[in-house]
Amino acid sequence: MSNENKLVSIENVVKHFDISGGLLDQITLKGGLHLKKTTVKAVNNVTLSIKSGETLSVVGESGCGKSTLARVVMGLYPPTAGEVYFKGDRIDNLNHKKWLPYRTKMQMIFQDPYASLNPRKTVRQTLEEPLRFHNPKMTLAQATDKIDEVMEQVGVDPAWIRRYPHEFSGGQRQRISIARGLILDPEFIVADEPVSALDVSIQAQILNLLMDLADKRNLTYLFITHDLSVVHHISTRVAVMYLGTLCELASASDLFHEPRHPYTRALLSAIPKVGEKKAKHVKMKGEVPTPVNLPSGCVFHGRCLYADERCSREVPKFLELENGSFVACHAVEEGRSID
Ligand SMILES: Nc1ncnc2c1ncn2[C@@H]1O[C@H](COP(=O)(O)OP(=O)(O)OP(=O)(O)O)[C@@H](O)[C@H]1O
Ligand code: SF4
Ligand SMILES: [Mg+2]
């Protein structure tokens, strides 16, 4: 991928949380008195580039580290290791002041608009504050025009700007939080489960809106979801994550038609196909391990039907296949059958 094409680059990002608690919580008496640190290994060595104009979706089960990765990209968490770049500028190590210019270019939309919108602020206040903060010379008339334009783009009547979040339906509230994400004319949006809290009928409307906005505004999305069925039609590429690690990265069409990693196959098998009454569920053995005690070798080996001795010992490399997809799996690398 050429450098100019990369809008955001995530390089070898690791994010661990120390949840040891206070000194008393850390004391263990095993073979004498010791202090024991407890670390959640939420994201482990993730490398990913997001191309200008694409929608890159990150999918995986609850707790696999999707939101943590999104927060590291947005500068909300400092990474434990690794680097994040926006248009070639390193952004993971910036202080608050140096981050400000990137705030206008990179925005985030969250799952629950009710929680992410301030209930005590009208829509106008919610949209005007960031606008005025980042454009101190903007006149009141200019701000009003901008707010009206964005409200119309997200499909909410600008006449309602004096209302509070609780006066809107869930779908309308999510439209308003999208408006807040757009008000500074960003180039890049991280959408973390933006439709998961909505009724299925509303989900499609919001997804269509996001895609429409991408076209009109030439936006690039990092789209986070646990629901593979949501990403099929909106994604340019899809990255599959398991226990903080990337398993597969492929174009949406390759991923849905020819998934290569055993975990991707199992995830996809849970979605019923058109014409099928019930999904042909590929079973996984065992339970999802905790990110406190990561398995050795391939993190998926305890649940994988194709695991062998090498899998429990050696971390698989994220290798490029002939079709341009990337897969981290010894069986795929060795050409073993996983049908
Ligand atoms: N601030 C934090 N402190 C400690 N542990 C955390 C923190 N944030 C996340 N974690 C842990 O890191 C792991 C990954 O969490 P994360 O929220 O990134 O998962 P997720 O893939 O977004 O899940 P979901 O689909 O449920 O939103 C989980 O085990 C979670 O409990
Ligand atoms: S590396 Fe081994 S355990 Fe991991 S997915 Fe491939 S076959 Fe399964
Ligand atoms: Mg999450």
Side-chain angles (χ1 to χ4, degrees), residues 210-269:
L210 288 170
M211 290 306 103
D212 216 38
L213 292 166
D215 273 354
K216 284 193 183 124
R217 295 176 148 257
N218 193 25
L219 292 170
T220 303
Y221 288 124
L222 175 61
F223 192 96
I224 308 274
T225 180
H226 67 279
D227 184 356
L228 253 179
S229 60
V230 160
V231 300
H232 195 171
H233 299 292
I234 61 156
S235 313
T236 321
R237 294 187 298 152
V238 181
V240 180
M241 206 168 167
Y242 180 81
L243 269 186
T245 308
L246 289 189
C247 307
E248 182 158 3
L249 170 65
S251 71
S253 135
D254 283 341
L255 192 105
F256 280 88
H257 294 116
E258 213 191 334
R260 305 293 281 269
H261 194 282
Y263 177 61
T264 315
R265 289 178 175 223
L267 274 186
L268 274 173
S269 72

Side-chain angles (χ1 to χ4, degrees), residues 143-155 158 185 217:
T144 303
D145 284 351
K146 184 75 200 167
I147 291 168
D148 286 357
E149 175 202 316
V150 172
M151 289 286 276
E152 265 161 24
Q153 280 187 2
V154 300
D185 293 329
R217 295 176 148 257

Side-chain angles (χ1 to χ4, degrees), residues 261-263 298 300-301 304 306-308 311 316 328-332 336 338:
H261 194 282
Y263 177 61
C298 171
F300 188 54
H301 83 255
C304 181
Y306 310 98
D308 67 6
C311 299
C329 174
H330 295 311
V332 172
R336 277 198 270 138
I338 52 171

Side-chain angles (χ1 to χ4, degrees), residues 32-332:
L33 195 63
H34 297 284
L35 286 182
K36 189 171 172 287
K37 288 261 178 231
T38 310
T39 310
V40 179
K41 300 173 183 87
V43 174
N44 300 294
N45 207 21
V46 167
T47 296
L48 199 59
S49 290
I50 304 157
K51 299 180 201 175
S52 195
E54 79 168 333
T55 295
L56 179 78
S57 295
V58 175
V59 298
E61 288 163 297
S62 181
C64 73
K66 306 179 294 294
S67 296
T68 304
L69 181 65
R71 286 172 167 268
V72 169
V73 170
M74 290 303 295
L76 300 172
Y77 290 151
T80 307
E83 292 157 18
V84 181
Y85 294 86
F86 181 79
K87 290 186 167 175
D89 299 341
R90 187 163 174 194
I91 57 168
D92 59 88
N93 54 0
L94 302 180
N95 61 28
H96 178 70
K97 197 168 163 217
K98 291 208 167 122
W99 239 102
L100 282 182
Y102 297 97
R103 273 276 160 265
T104 61
K105 297 174 189 150
M106 305 170 75
Q107 285 286 320
M108 192 152 175
I109 300 168
F110 296 90
Q111 171 174 351
D112 182 357
Y114 207 51
S116 64
L117 294 172
N118 187 333
R120 282 181 296 275
K121 284 187 183 160
T122 63
V123 174
R124 175 162 187 120
Q125 287 168 325
T126 296
L127 298 181
E128 193 179 331
E129 264 176 28
L131 201 53
R132 299 284 218 137
F133 178 78
H134 287 278
N135 304 282
K137 292 194 181 129
M138 190 174 248
T139 64
L140 190 63
Q142 285 169 330
T144 303
D145 284 351
K146 184 75 200 167
I147 291 168
D148 286 357
E149 175 202 316
V150 172
M151 289 286 276
E152 265 161 24
Q153 280 187 2
V154 300
V156 182
D157 190 339
W160 295 350
I161 54 171
R162 288 202 167 67
R163 297 191 184 187
Y164 289 87
H166 73 267
E167 297 179 82
F168 293 90
S169 68
Q172 284 170 328
R173 267 199 298 273
Q174 192 55 304
R175 286 173 191 269
I176 293 162
S177 57
I178 293 170
R180 188 184 51 183
L182 293 178
I183 198 77
L184 299 173
D185 293 329
E187 296 172 54
F188 175 64
I189 291 195
V190 175
D192 189 357
E193 306 269 10
V195 298
S196 306
L198 303 173
D199 287 352
V200 175
S201 57
I202 312 288
Q203 285 189 0
Q205 292 174 17
I206 298 293
L207 289 174
N208 286 338
L209 171 67
L210 288 170
M211 290 306 103
D212 216 38
L213 292 166
D215 273 354
K216 284 193 183 124
R217 295 176 148 257
N218 193 25
L219 292 170
T220 303
Y221 288 124
L222 175 61
F223 192 96
I224 308 274
T225 180
H226 67 279
D227 184 356
L228 253 179
S229 60
V230 160
V231 300
H232 195 171
H233 299 292
I234 61 156
S235 313
T236 321
R237 294 187 298 152
V238 181
V240 180
M241 206 168 167
Y242 180 81
L243 269 186
T245 308
L246 289 189
C247 307
E248 182 158 3
L249 170 65
S251 71
S253 135
D254 283 341
L255 192 105
F256 280 88
H257 294 116
E258 213 191 334
R260 305 293 281 269
H261 194 282
Y263 177 61
T264 315
R265 289 178 175 223
L267 274 186
L268 274 173
S269 72
I271 308 174
K273 297 209 171 52
V274 179
E276 273 177 15
K277 282 212 176 102
K278 236 180 134 206
K280 290 190 191 110
H281 214 131
V282 175
K283 291 215 163 46
M284 289 182 266
K285 45 180 191 163
E287 296 292 316
V288 188
T290 92
V292 173
N293 292 309
L294 284 184
S296 59
C298 171
V299 283
F300 188 54
H301 83 255
R303 297 178 79 199
C304 181
L305 300 177
Y306 310 98
D308 67 6
E309 181 275 330
R310 185 184 177 201
C311 299
S312 58
R313 180 170 43 80
E314 189 182 323
V315 177
K317 290 198 180 73
F318 204 43
L319 294 177
E320 188 168 8
L321 306 183
E322 67 297 337
N323 63 354
S325 301
F326 286 81
V327 176
C329 174
H330 295 311
V332 172

